[in-house]
Amino acid sequence: MAGKFFTKRTLNVDVVARTFKPLWKPAGELKIRDIGESIPLFEFEDVLDLERVLEYEPWSFDKSLVVFKKAADVESIPFLEFDHVTFRVQIHNVPEKSLNHETGETIGRKIGSVLQVADTEDDGAGGEFLRVRVAVDITKPLPRCYKLWAEGKHIGWVGIRYERLPNFCYWCGRVSHGERDCEVWLRGK
């Protein structure tokens, strides 16, 4: 598995290992080696460890986003696109009659590719919001709200909250950089 670290700081593989190994607690051996351009290679002895890491996305390091992709071998890494991350998204201010799987699916598709809509009964949210697991394109701004429609009429706005969201740019809404590195902010001075 390859990981792209969206940080301007130089990566130290030993620090990365000391951070992630205790978090992931792999059953098998985990080797980490630097291949350049803020992309280390993570080699898991046990495939289940790899699957578990990908299941609990997003990950961050030094408050910056880390995007992981499966890599068949080292030669394939330059061709990987680190442009999608899986987030669990909470959809708030949904009218009670619309707190259902279909609404979660519809709004989730506007955010990205829907992987799972949590059951409102089993999720433990108490019917306060919908939770959707979505693969989000991080080259685009993160949406923060959407219009909610029912029977062809606008019935209100829903708020979107991203669980475990690392630092992101408040100027352009992207998670690939901080606001001090934003072209919109730099040009706006």
Side-chain angles (χ1 to χ4, degrees), residues 19-133:
T19 301
F20 285 113
K21 282 183 180 181
L23 283 174
W24 295 341
K25 297 179 180 128
E29 187 179 359
L30 170 61
K31 295 178 185 174
I32 304 171
R33 57 184 169 129
D34 189 8
I35 58 169
E37 297 184 36
S38 298
I39 303 176
L41 179 65
F42 298 81
E43 297 173 289
F44 290 89
E45 183 179 66
D46 189 345
V47 177
L48 292 176
D49 290 332
L50 168 69
E51 296 299 330
R52 191 168 21 94
V53 167
L54 294 174
E55 176 70 23
Y56 288 104
E57 277 187 318
W59 293 99
S60 61
F61 178 79
D62 194 28
K63 300 179 185 176
S64 297
L65 182 68
V66 181
V67 179
F68 291 110
K69 296 291 177 191
K70 288 183 181 179
D73 51 40
V74 178
E75 291 78 28
S76 67
I77 293 174
F79 303 105
L80 294 175
E81 294 186 25
F82 296 94
D83 57 358
H84 282 78
V85 176
T86 302
F87 281 100
R88 283 169 183 74
V89 178
Q90 298 175 6
I91 304 168
H92 289 264
N93 302 326
V94 180
E96 193 172 331
K97 65 180 181 177
S98 298
L99 278 169
N100 55 45
H101 188 275
E102 293 78 25
T103 303
E105 182 84 28
T106 301
I107 296 172
R109 278 196 308 268
K110 293 181 183 204
I111 300 167
S113 302
V114 175
L115 303 173
Q116 177 186 14
V117 178
D119 186 1
T120 54
E121 301 294 322
D122 297 336
D123 193 35
E128 300 167 10
F129 57 85
L130 295 170
R131 181 177 276 134
V132 183
R133 190 163 176 251

Side-chain angles (χ1 to χ4, degrees), residues 6 16 25 61 127 139 157:
F6 287 91
V16 170
K25 297 179 180 128
F61 178 79
T139 64
W157 289 88

